[in-house]
Amino acid sequence: MGDWRVPGYSELRVLGEGAQGRVVLARHDGTGRPAAIKYLAGRFADDAEFRERFRGEADLLRRLHHPFVARMYGLVETPAGAAIVMEAVDGASLKAVLAESGPLAPEAALAVLKGSLLGLAAAHDLGIVHRDYKPANVIVRGDGCSKLIDFGVAVEAGEAGRSGTPVYMAPEQWRGEPASPATDVYAAACVFFECVTGRRPYTAEDQAGLMGRHLTAPIPVADVPEPLRPLIRRGLAKSAWDRPLGAAAFVTELESAAAGAYGPDWESRGVRALAGATAALSLLFPLSALGFGSGGAGAGAAGGAGAAGTAGAAGGSGAGAGTAGTATAGKGVLGALGAKGAAAVAGGVAVVAAAGGAAVYVADAKEKPKPKPIVAALSALNEPRKDLGGGVTLQARGQVVTVTGGRPALVRKIDQALRSPLEERWATTTKGLAGGSGRGAYTDVVKPAILLRNDRLLSVWYTVSLQGERGTGWDHSPAVTVDLRTGAALRPFDLFRVPTEQGIAPLDRKIKAHLPHGTYCWSDVGGAGPFQPHGTDNPSAFVKSGDVSMALTPAGLRVAFYGAVLGYASACGEEDATVPYAEVKDMIKPDLLAAVPYPRPAHS
């Protein structure tokens, strides 16, 4: 940054430096109030990509309105450099607390985890994944409250990459797969393990070894108090789908476990214990050391100065996290810069011309971020191999459909719905393989196809093939249509006006009309022709049994059912047909028919 400084602030001390910049504690010249200022490193001042990343971090902090995340006062940009001005709050990093006191009492570990998880939950509600939860980024104030900082490598859920701190990275991060709120849950569980045991769950001499441990090593729970082991097992699950789906869900499980094991007052005792553990470091609190007073309960949201020192030194990616959220907070920056003229509000952000050619962006208190459109994409699927006993193992790999955008809670529900037919497939396959007499390694290879997507519906067809020495009848195509307004999975019966066997019975002749031979289960072996399946030829029975897939497509209703239902698995295999909407328009629910590209009369 050279000699460039945010106008109107006097620098007091450097709190931390890293590859991307440095964090300083400064005093507002007009009011004497402290602030934490993160400067983008000078060598990146002219780099358009780094400037954009810096703006992205500031935009995230601006959107976060939560007491467990520090407030941001503004982003300041000039041709000479860029800086983020944040609230400065006294405190010590959890990393420093653990180094000073060693392992924490269970109640204290639970309390520090809960506080920072609530900060994570605020980010998850915006569709943001932190990706770098670690003790250096958790701040414990003098009153024992814990807060989360440093969103320098945060991304929107669904974005892939290996950014993070290796000892706390989830398996999907190591594999470069899309991040989700469950990625942060894994890191939080690693930190929680460290809080109660005094060591990290996995260590190795090099990164390759560390990666292997996170990907395949058993979850170490022997040294964890018995009541807390379920939290560790859930949080450190190798598959993101086996963990709580986000920080809020993890908090719910934490509170239940804590109250059951340590009584209803566990949190107050935990916070007091944290305050005691932090007291030994109080002389090092940056605000107290400079005579600004205590950083206890009256200090407001966490994050700033004390947090900044550790965060900046660790990676230079942030002094705090959060956003102003009030007009008063924004005035601190504007007053310091001697801004003149009226603010022009664009997109909910006040852009103010200031002295020295600076452009200051301050969060508008009335702004309510709009959810982004829901976007579907293919994500890598690489489930850990499971031992089914008897020398049989099963793994799943390929791709799965996930979504981004929209409200985070809705996105999580949609993702669950999109994965649910695969989960059911694996449960059935596991039962079948485990009960057989064979031995060997099996792999379910999953290839998805997005058949229909619009602002109301998302319809997905998975082609699944079981690789390994096995007989016929194992391959089929699970499918699901998801209502994007609610996240509900629409299964076969859910698609019809009259969801009963009798109501679906007319579908029989319509399906047969679109099969290659006009009938079910045709066989060319020895000129055998069609089989007559066990006295029934009615797909409504297949729907009831669950051994059928149905999905909405632009052209019509796609249906697949399996020979196993007909009683001739080896001969029939999977039957597949698409019935045009014109032939089933009186059977499909009207609201669903209205959401597909079915041609309607001009007057309708």
Side-chain angles (χ1 to χ4, degrees):
M1 300 300 296
D3 295 328
W4 182 79
R5 298 289 181 269
V6 175
Y9 280 90
S10 297
E11 185 174 314
L12 301 176
R13 59 179 282 193
V14 175
L15 295 169
E17 296 188 64
Q20 298 180 20
R22 66 188 191 122
V23 180
V24 304
L25 177 63
R27 178 188 286 113
H28 179 202
D29 294 338
T31 64
R33 294 176 180 173
I37 303 177
K38 175 183 177 179
Y39 287 100
L40 180 65
R43 63 183 179 279
F44 299 132
D46 297 326
D47 189 311
E49 180 180 352
F50 274 91
R51 280 266 191 165
E52 190 58 35
R53 289 182 187 177
F54 202 65
R55 292 188 192 106
E57 180 183 353
D59 180 65
L60 167 61
L61 302 182
R62 176 180 57 80
R63 292 158 57 198
L64 275 170
H65 299 261
H66 199 274
F68 288 92
V69 182
R71 293 179 296 174
M72 187 188 83
Y73 294 152
L75 167 67
V76 183
E77 286 196 79
T78 75
I84 298 173
V85 183
M86 293 165 285
E87 178 185 16
V89 181
D90 252 358
S93 71
L94 179 59
K95 179 179 180 180
V97 173
L98 293 175
E100 174 69 24
S101 65
L104 301 176
E107 296 93 327
L110 288 161
V112 74
L113 178 65
K114 178 181 175 179
S116 50
L117 279 175
L118 290 173
L120 272 180
H124 292 171
D125 283 344
L126 294 175
I128 299 297
V129 181
H130 189 282
R131 293 203 304 177
D132 200 21
Y133 184 105
K134 58 186 177 183
N137 290 338
V138 176
I139 302 306
V140 184
R141 293 195 323 222
D143 60 0
C145 293
S146 61
K147 316 291 178 180
L148 179 66
I149 64 163
D150 195 351
F151 285 78
V153 297
V155 295
E156 291 188 2
E159 186 171 328
R162 288 189 170 89
S163 296
T165 300
V167 291
Y168 305 106
M169 279 168 47
E172 59 268 25
Q173 283 176 286
W174 283 104
R175 292 191 293 259
E177 295 172 355
S180 72
T183 302
D184 287 339
V185 167
Y186 184 94
C190 286
V191 172
F192 183 50
F193 181 96
E194 188 173 349
C195 286
V196 295
T197 66
R199 61 182 179 84
R200 294 162 176 166
Y202 301 118
T203 57
E205 294 182 357
D206 54 35
Q207 286 213 11
L210 187 60
M211 176 179 177
R213 300 279 290 170
H214 279 281
L215 291 178
T216 63
I219 298 173
V221 296
D223 294 337
V224 177
E226 179 66 35
L228 305 181
R229 290 178 185 178
L231 291 175
I232 296 295
R233 289 193 184 97
R234 287 270 289 152
L236 292 184
K238 304 300 182 185
S239 170
W241 294 96
D242 292 333
R243 300 176 214 137
L245 295 180
F250 202 24
V251 167
T252 299
E253 295 187 18
L254 179 155
E255 290 179 323
S256 176
Y262 303 108
D265 63 340
W266 69 269
E267 190 169 2
S268 60
R269 286 186 282 113
V271 170
R272 286 197 300 271
L274 278 175
T278 309
L281 301 169
S282 60
L283 294 178
L284 302 178
F285 288 6
L287 297 186
S288 297
L290 293 172
F292 281 103
S294 171
T310 307
S317 56
T323 175
T326 65
T328 304
K331 291 178 181 177
V333 175
L334 302 184
L337 293 171
K340 298 180 180 179
V345 178
V349 179
V351 183
V352 185
V360 185
Y361 304 83
V362 181
D364 182 355
K366 297 181 181 179
E367 178 189 4
K368 293 184 178 180
K370 296 180 180 179
K372 295 185 177 181
I374 293 175
V375 179
L378 302 182
S379 300
L381 176 69
N382 191 11
E383 294 293 310
R385 185 167 293 279
K386 295 183 179 180
D387 186 352
L388 307 185
V392 178
T393 64
L394 176 64
Q395 181 185 29
R397 60 180 177 82
Q399 292 179 309
V400 64
V401 178
T402 59
V403 299
T404 58
R407 292 181 290 106
L410 177 60
V411 167
R412 290 193 294 270
K413 190 173 181 180
I414 293 171
D415 282 344
Q416 283 181 296
L418 290 170
R419 187 181 170 99
S420 60
L422 293 176
E423 297 283 2
E424 293 173 9
R425 149 79 184 186
W426 294 328
T428 301
T429 304
T430 296
K431 183 178 180 180
L433 292 174
S437 57
R439 298 169 62 88
Y442 296 89
T443 301
D444 245 352
V445 179
V446 181
K447 296 180 180 180
I450 298 175
L451 302 183
L452 175 71
R453 52 180 163 183
N454 53 39
D455 59 359
R456 167 71 193 282
L457 300 173
L458 175 60
S459 195
V460 176
W461 195 271
Y462 294 102
T463 300
V464 184
S465 176
L466 183 66
Q467 304 296 310
E469 295 186 9
R470 76 322 185 261
T472 58
W474 291 95
D475 301 341
H476 68 269
S477 303
V480 64
T481 297
V482 180
D483 187 332
L484 297 180
R485 302 173 308 173
T486 64
L490 304 177
R491 298 306 176 86
F493 266 128
D494 300 323
L495 304 177
F496 296 95
R497 293 175 185 246
V498 183
T500 65
E501 289 188 56
Q502 184 178 4
I504 301 175
L507 193 61
D508 170 44
R509 59 181 177 82
K510 301 177 188 295
I511 293 175
K512 286 196 293 186
H514 293 278
L515 290 172
H517 299 281
T519 187
Y520 300 114
C521 203
W522 181 273
S523 174
D524 291 324
V525 178
F531 289 102
Q532 293 302 319
H534 286 226
T536 180
D537 211 20
N538 189 340
S540 60
F542 309 158
V543 174
K544 183 179 181 181
S545 72
D547 291 312
V548 67
S549 294
M550 289 187 183
L552 301 177
T553 78
L557 177 68
R558 184 172 178 181
V559 183
F561 48 91
Y562 320 114
V565 180
L566 305 175
Y568 294 93
S570 60
C572 299
E574 180 176 293
E575 302 277 359
D576 188 335
T578 298
V579 183
Y581 288 121
E583 298 180 22
V584 291
K585 65 181 187 301
D586 295 329
M587 299 179 65
I588 301 295
K589 288 181 176 177
D591 63 323
L592 297 179
L593 196 64
V596 298
Y598 164 65
R600 295 164 183 82
H603 65 272
S604 62

